[in-house]
Amino acid sequence: MEVKTIYLDNSATTKPLKEVMQAFMVVNEQYYANPASIHAMGVEANNLLMRAREQVADILQTEAKNVLFTSGGTESNNTAILGLAHSNTHKGKHIITTEIEHPSVLESVKQLEKEGFEVEYLPVDQNGVISLDDLRAKVRKDTILVSIMHVNNEMGAIQPIFEAAKIIHNMSRAAFHVDAVQSFGKLPLAFNHEDGPDCISISGHKIHGFKGSGVLAFRTHMKWQPYALGGGQEYGLRSGTVAVPQAVALSKAARIAVESRVDQEKKYRKWHDEICLQLREYGEAVHILSTPQGAAHILSFSIRDLKGEVIINAMQKRQVIVSTSSACSSKQTKTSHVVEALKLDEHFKKGVIRLSFGAYLSDEDIAKFKDVLNEVMMELKGEHIQ
Amino acid sequence: MIWKEILIRYGELSTKGRNKMDFIRRLRENIRHAFADLGHLHIRTERDRMFIAIQNEIQMNVLLEGLPKIFGIQSFSPVAACEKDIEAMKKLAITIMDTFKNEQLTFKVEVKRTDKTFPLESHAIQREIGGYVLPNYKNLSVKVKNPDIELRVEVRHDATYMMAQVIPGAGGMPVGSNGKSLLMLSGGIDSPVAGYLMMKRGVRLEAIHFFSPPYTSQNSLEKVKVLANELTKFGASIRLHVIPFTEIQVLIKEKVPSNVSMTTTRRMMLKVADKVREDIDALAIVTGESLGQVASQTLESLTAINAVTNTPILRPLISTDKLEIINIAEKIGTYETSIQPFEDCCTIFTPASPKTKPKLEKVEHYESFSDFDELIERAVKNREVYIFPKKEQETDKFADLL
């Protein structure tokens, strides 16, 4: 009998849902025409694309023209940060972000620093959360962009983005960008609040859609010098033939994610609590990075003086897939910048493990995981656990 | 939920007497039509105001969003209700005033006691409620003449009603109260705006569009359908008559000298439109023409074009600037659609140097060698008619995919 693999790396990527794959196939088979073509098939494809765009706009409570389809979270973040910075230099060159952003944000602002922008980084406390007083102290009249992630990908900390938005909007003319790649479909998020982000990034493959699909959405329509030049697609902001199947799949995945959000969160929260309970039984050997105030779908912990890779391998042997703090940085040997920002004790820096839940997991899977965790802990650290 | 009804104040009532009842009836029908999705609305009409009963919060939100688009409404107010009990009234007053707590405002309480059996008299109620509200809000000060907020309290027989907010409406007259016209809808920026302005004056519209496949594409037709659909947001359904115009345009191109071909094209369009107008019992034709914008919009040119009919041609944009038109188009949400660049019937055979001052006799002379009438009859007969707002099922083939 084949043993089922228990996949607990959903923050790295998710398995697409069957109905999303089905839609993707149909669009590729029937609506493959270029939506910019003026023949009937092109018009049809364009109508479908518009429906997908409207659906995403409805979910985010903005207008269709404020929804841009991209190739994923990285492109959305790059585009937002470079685009908003470059088009607002007349207001200033001051940018604020946090120490724990995704590399696609950090590398973008580093690029801007080289170009002469001034970038300030907000530190986080041991719970991974920024301080609003810090933010208040740093926002200036010439701040043009603030970028803060909603949910941290490595340990699930939730940033107070609505409170932050209030501060930013009251004190400056800055645009507020939120990297919502890990929060969209997991936490409520839309442009319907007066105090909220001006611009958010979403990725398709984190919500059981496809890799290579993403959205950059705005509260109001914005224009800037685009970096992808060509036929003027996506309101001139991102040229290149629009990937209609990806857009449709993303809008379907987004709808399902948002519709099932409350039920899923209940499940994830329960698993989060159960596993934390078990982790606490290992006493000093385990440090839990995630907090009960953080997102329910991410649970990070670290095992004293053990390398993350060792634990991953031990679990993998038992058909359980977990990851180190983030997939993006797991191949690098140095400690992740998020772990550094959390100022973790040296004994725990190397052993960070991240579990992330997704729609395909069941209660039985989590029970099995807990058994495996126990086995692995006994095998690797047995002598230290009382 | 505290909300009980929405009070609607009518727009300008230039027509009095029996027409006024017609105006009110029309407005009520338009509201029913615009909110057909909400199921049957309970609407009570009086001489100077109308009341829509509210069943739930969702309904309330849909109405608040949609009412500002409906012509014939001067302003409206959400009305809350509570028991006829002074304590309950105080509580409700606080709930309503809470929505204004962030601004510095002047304020007064205005009481009307329709139910004379209520133990407190108007002045006493006013004192009670005012005296209860004021100490709760530092931002409020009393002003008897022209206050920012007038908390209106009405003790009626069934309950106590309160309101404080006056939301501006779209003004104008209810669509349909001023007869029906045929709008020449090209797909550009101007014609939807012209249609909108006529609707504001209470005119019910049908639209006509000239379609010249294969010279103009399905896209340009789709665009016009979207525009027609957009215009239905202002309170009425619209029929779109799509005229197969290729034959006529090709004949003009072949038989009429190119510098007057545009004048002839417009004349033929107007002839066709006039036949359709007659067919649908409309009284006038509406165009988006504005003086001096393009060669066909000089007074000489308009005269030559207009000569084909005695029907009133309404040109609400005749004196406006392009920028003013764009502003309205953006406001009513048609601009983004209009600027999509597809060939339409007016652009495909545009001559290099059209005459800006065509002579009517000359134009008639050139046209006299061809028999356009038969083609016009055929075009009118073979028109396709679409009804907006679009029925849901048409877009539903995508539903499974999304």
Side-chain angles (χ1 to χ4, degrees):
Chain A
M1 195 185 83
E2 201 187 322
V3 184
K4 187 193 166 192
T5 300
I6 297 171
Y7 180 76
L8 285 164
D9 194 17
N10 288 282
S11 283
T13 197
T14 54
K15 178 177 172 182
L17 290 172
K18 287 218 164 51
E19 49 267 58
V20 173
M21 288 196 261
Q22 182 61 30
F24 185 77
M25 287 293 287
V26 173
V27 180
N28 273 301
E29 278 166 357
Q30 292 176 22
Y31 303 102
Y32 54 85
N34 189 327
S37 294
I38 59 170
H39 47 66
M41 284 176 70
V43 170
E44 191 90 323
N46 190 48
N47 287 343
L48 175 56
L49 176 66
M50 276 315 290
R51 281 285 302 276
R53 199 187 300 280
E54 278 162 13
Q55 182 158 308
V56 175
D58 275 353
I59 291 171
L60 295 173
Q61 306 221 356
T62 183
E63 286 173 56
K65 65 177 175 187
N66 303 335
V67 171
L68 222 63
F69 286 112
T70 66
S71 67
T74 293
E75 187 192 324
S76 292
N77 284 341
N78 286 182
T79 307
I81 287 168
L82 299 177
L84 290 172
H86 286 146
S87 62
N88 283 297
T89 47
H90 58 287
K91 294 183 197 161
K93 293 188 107 179
H94 183 240
I95 294 169
I96 299 173
T97 186
T98 78
E99 286 180 355
I100 59 162
E101 295 300 307
H102 188 267
S104 57
V105 168
L106 292 176
E107 292 302 318
S108 303
V109 295
K110 267 185 213 156
Q111 169 70 31
L112 290 169
E113 268 181 309
K114 279 183 208 153
E115 294 172 20
F117 286 82
E118 183 189 347
V119 182
E120 286 194 84
Y121 299 85
L122 299 168
V124 294
D125 61 17
Q126 58 183 6
N127 295 327
V129 180
I130 59 161
S131 136
L132 291 170
D133 287 332
D134 272 354
L135 175 65
R136 213 173 278 118
K138 288 204 164 75
V139 176
R140 314 193 306 226
K141 281 226 164 69
D142 64 335
T143 307
I144 52 167
L145 173 67
V146 180
S147 183
I148 299 176
M149 72 186 348
H150 195 182
V151 167
N152 181 265
N153 53 320
E154 299 196 19
M155 46 83 70
I158 300 173
Q159 303 302 336
I161 55 167
F162 293 100
E163 290 82 350
K166 207 170 190 166
I167 294 170
I168 295 160
H169 292 148
N170 279 341
M171 295 178 59
S172 72
R173 292 191 288 166
F176 181 28
H177 167 253
V178 168
D179 172 357
V181 166
Q182 290 294 348
S183 75
F184 180 73
K186 314 284 194 316
L187 299 178
L189 179 68
F191 290 112
N192 55 343
H193 297 257
E194 201 165 308
D195 286 304
D198 299 302
C199 169
I200 61 183
S201 300
I202 293 171
S203 168
H205 76 112
K206 309 283 191 191
I207 52 169
H208 300 282
F210 290 104
K211 292 160 198 67
S213 66
V215 157
L216 180 59
F218 300 91
R219 179 203 298 277
T220 54
H221 198 50
M222 295 193 185
K223 275 259 175 234
W224 62 71
Q225 200 62 41
Y227 69 91
L229 304 174
Q233 287 91 344
E234 297 296 276
Y235 308 99
L237 294 174
R238 183 188 191 254
S239 284
T241 304
V242 183
V244 181
Q246 277 85 335
V248 171
L250 186 145
S251 90
K252 184 162 196 166
R255 177 180 61 75
I256 296 170
V258 169
E259 281 171 4
S260 59
R261 183 180 68 76
V262 176
D263 291 341
Q264 297 288 15
E265 202 206 339
K266 256 187 226 151
K267 245 173 31 182
Y268 298 163
R269 185 61 67 192
K270 190 179 100 195
W271 297 341
H272 200 284
D273 291 348
E274 284 174 17
I275 297 170
C276 278
L277 207 63
Q278 180 173 341
L279 288 170
R280 284 198 199 95
E281 286 174 12
Y282 305 124
E284 299 279 291
V286 170
H287 175 84
I288 303 174
L289 279 70
S290 299
T291 65
Q293 290 78 36
H297 65 291
I298 297 177
L299 174 48
S300 285
F301 59 94
S302 178
I303 300 175
R304 192 183 182 93
D305 296 328
L306 256 187
K307 275 196 170 172
E309 200 184 320
V310 177
I311 306 159
I312 289 177
N313 290 339
M315 293 215 159
Q316 191 162 250
K317 256 191 249 163
R318 295 165 171 86
Q319 263 70 43
V320 173
I321 304 296
V322 300
S323 98
T324 52
S325 52
S326 93
C328 303
S329 58
S330 59
K331 285 182 186 154
Q332 297 161 1
T333 46
K334 66 176 195 323
T335 314
S336 102
H337 65 288
V338 177
V339 173
E340 289 292 355
L342 290 173
K343 302 191 178 60
L344 214 55
D345 186 286
E346 283 299 330
H347 293 292
F348 289 106
K349 272 188 182 171
K350 294 262 186 277
V352 178
I353 296 294
R354 177 184 66 183
L355 314 175
S356 42
F357 307 134
Y360 279 105
L361 286 165
S362 65
D363 283 337
E364 292 74 50
D365 295 335
I366 299 301
K368 164 97 189 289
F369 162 77
K370 290 196 305 190
D371 290 344
V372 167
L373 175 67
N374 224 3
E375 274 178 42
V376 170
M377 286 301 285
M378 286 308 159
E379 181 182 305
L380 297 175
K381 298 244 35 146
E383 69 273 24
H384 297 298
I385 298 171
Q386 324 293 309
Chain B
M1 194 189 62
I2 59 166
W3 304 111
K4 185 87 172 178
E5 58 191 25
I6 291 177
L7 177 155
I8 289 172
R9 297 171 198 87
Y10 303 139
E12 94 187 64
L13 288 180
S14 53
T15 45
K16 298 252 158 53
R18 251 189 316 173
N19 287 339
K20 181 166 169 173
M21 286 322 291
D22 185 52
F23 174 105
I24 293 169
R25 190 178 47 77
R26 181 70 68 180
L27 178 60
R28 189 180 56 206
E29 286 319 302
N30 288 354
I31 290 174
R32 283 199 195 292
H33 181 263
F35 300 105
D37 293 351
L38 292 178
H40 186 75
L41 290 175
H42 293 277
I43 303 178
R44 187 163 57 84
T45 59
E46 289 178 8
R47 247 189 98 72
D48 300 311
R49 40 177 52 182
M50 184 181 286
F51 297 90
I52 308 177
I54 303 295
Q55 266 113 36
N56 56 54
E57 200 102 9
I58 298 165
Q59 205 185 44
M60 176 78 183
N61 291 338
V62 174
L63 286 165
L64 285 184
E65 195 164 311
L67 283 173
K69 292 186 187 130
I70 293 177
F71 291 124
I73 296 176
Q74 196 58 43
S75 66
F76 61 95
S77 298
V79 183
C82 68
E83 289 161 44
K84 285 189 290 181
D85 167 73
I86 192 71
E87 290 309 316
M89 285 155 67
K90 286 177 184 169
K91 242 170 85 185
L92 182 59
I94 289 285
T95 312
I96 292 175
M97 294 314 293
D98 257 352
T99 49
F100 301 103
K101 65 182 168 198
N102 295 325
E103 300 154 75
Q104 203 61 41
L105 296 165
T106 56
F107 154 87
K108 81 164 171 183
V109 180
E110 183 74 42
V111 178
K112 195 165 143 192
R113 191 179 58 140
T114 316
D115 175 12
K116 300 293 181 199
T117 66
F118 190 74
L120 289 171
E121 287 191 348
S122 296
H123 270 91
I125 300 172
Q126 191 178 337
R127 257 199 319 275
E128 283 284 327
I129 293 180
Y132 186 72
V133 168
L134 269 181
N136 272 294
Y137 296 97
K138 287 199 181 63
N139 61 325
L140 292 182
S141 54
V142 175
K143 191 177 169 200
V144 180
K145 268 193 183 167
N146 289 326
D148 299 321
I149 302 170
E150 197 178 306
L151 179 64
R152 278 190 247 175
V153 180
E154 257 183 71
V155 184
R156 292 190 216 156
H157 288 280
D158 58 331
T160 303
Y161 291 75
M162 271 185 222
M163 64 181 148
Q165 208 183 353
V166 180
I167 302 168
M173 318 232 338
V175 175
S177 59
N178 254 332
K180 184 160 74 177
S181 294
L182 180 65
L183 170 69
M184 295 177 77
L185 192 60
S186 68
I189 298 167
D190 302 348
S191 47
V193 174
Y196 163 82
L197 291 175
M198 292 319 296
M199 288 172 96
K200 185 169 183 184
R201 296 313 304 159
V203 174
R204 180 177 295 284
L205 292 181
E206 298 203 14
I208 183 169
H209 177 70
F210 297 88
F211 184 42
S212 300
Y215 301 101
T216 63
S217 69
Q218 197 61 32
N219 279 358
S220 76
L221 183 57
E222 287 302 318
K223 173 172 147 179
V224 169
K225 288 183 188 170
V226 171
L227 289 172
N229 201 34
E230 286 284 304
L231 286 175
T232 63
K233 282 191 308 203
F234 303 102
S237 55
I238 290 180
R239 283 203 295 174
L240 172 68
H241 302 261
V242 176
I243 304 290
F245 199 55
T246 319
E247 259 188 332
I248 297 173
Q249 271 195 297
V250 169
L251 184 64
I252 295 170
K253 187 173 158 41
E254 281 167 4
K255 295 292 166 60
V256 178
S258 71
N259 58 357
V260 296
S261 68
M262 192 196 52
T263 311
T264 296
T265 307
R266 302 279 163 156
R267 282 162 56 87
M268 296 308 148
M269 285 177 173
L270 196 52
K271 276 191 183 181
V272 172
D274 208 24
K275 290 236 185 286
V276 173
R277 177 203 61 78
E278 216 180 306
D279 218 32
I280 62 173
D281 286 327
L283 297 170
I285 291 170
V286 179
T287 79
E289 285 159 317
S290 157
L291 205 56
Q293 269 197 24
V294 290
S296 64
Q297 294 175 6
T298 61
L299 280 180
E300 289 83 355
S301 185
L302 290 181
T303 307
I305 295 165
N306 218 145
V308 300
T309 177
N310 287 323
T311 303
I313 312 291
L314 308 176
R315 301 179 174 95
L317 303 181
I318 199 73
S319 70
T320 52
D321 295 345
K322 196 72 190 180
L323 282 179
E324 296 173 59
I325 299 173
I326 289 174
N327 279 343
I328 301 176
E330 283 178 333
K331 195 183 81 184
I332 65 175
T334 55
Y335 183 70
E336 289 288 332
T337 307
S338 286
I339 57 172
Q340 290 173 7
F342 304 120
E343 292 282 355
D344 63 45
C345 52
C346 307
T347 57
I348 46 171
F349 296 136
T350 314
S353 50
K355 272 211 182 318
T356 53
K357 297 180 179 179
K359 292 265 181 308
L360 178 58
E361 313 83 72
K362 283 260 177 71
V363 176
E364 283 175 341
H365 169 75
Y366 293 131
E367 286 171 12
S368 66
F369 304 106
S370 318
D371 184 13
F372 285 104
D373 289 347
E374 194 193 323
L375 298 189
I376 287 173
E377 286 296 336
R378 189 151 64 218
V380 170
K381 206 178 104 228
N382 291 339
R383 69 183 191 264
E384 279 182 42
V385 182
Y386 301 88
I387 299 173
F388 299 97
K390 239 198 258 175
K391 293 271 178 292
E392 277 305 316
Q393 70 228 36
E394 220 181 313
T395 48
D396 253 356
K397 67 175 170 189
F398 295 142
D400 276 354
L401 299 172
L402 296 160

